Amino acid sequence: MDPEVLAQTAGATVVALMATDAWVRTREGVVSLWRRVRPLQADEIGTALEETREEILAARRDEDAASAEDLERDWRRRLRRLLLADPTVAQELERIFEAARASLPEGEQPRIPMVQMQAHASGHARIYQAGRDQHIVER
């Protein structure tokens, strides 16, 4: 899977799993990845995960979608850097999240966003695709 796509999915997944019973397992898996790729940052990441968990629980309690999105964006950025530092962790990261989701009852499994787009153009055609906001200005 493309590191950028995986980072987006992983960021949303790690934040979604923070509010579930699978959190301890998820945290341990993510910290172990950091310990292998960037050992000096592993303890800091463990602390950041705990802080983010407290923030996401508060954001959900307060129905603060903007804060939840900021937290997801932060973890997408961190995970993207980890994946770029060592692309071989991609499969392990996917396994950690899949195992955590699978350990939860079906009704409690967090919904993981997935966007897949395809486009084909010919001639002078233009294609505009976005997984979120898009602003196009043509003159």
Side-chain angles (χ1 to χ4, degrees), residues 5-20 22-23 26 30 49 56 60 71-72 75-76 79 93-102 104 109-114:
V5 173
L6 180 56
Q8 288 181 4
T9 302
T13 302
V14 75
V15 171
L17 288 168
M18 287 177 177
T20 70
W23 170 239
T26 304
V30 171
L49 284 164
I56 195 67
R60 290 194 176 157
L71 295 168
E72 283 184 26
W75 282 99
R76 278 195 307 265
L79 290 163
L93 186 62
E94 288 178 351
R95 277 194 304 272
I96 290 167
F97 292 144
E98 186 57 39
R101 282 193 303 267
L104 296 168
Q109 293 178 0
R111 188 179 63 80
I112 306 306
M114 180 59 87

Side-chain angles (χ1 to χ4, degrees), residues 8 19 43-44 55 62 79 85 91 94 106 108 113 134:
Q8 288 181 4
D43 291 338
E44 177 185 326
E55 292 175 40
D62 299 339
L79 290 163
Q91 288 181 336
E94 288 178 351
E106 190 171 322
E108 294 178 29
Q134 184 176 61

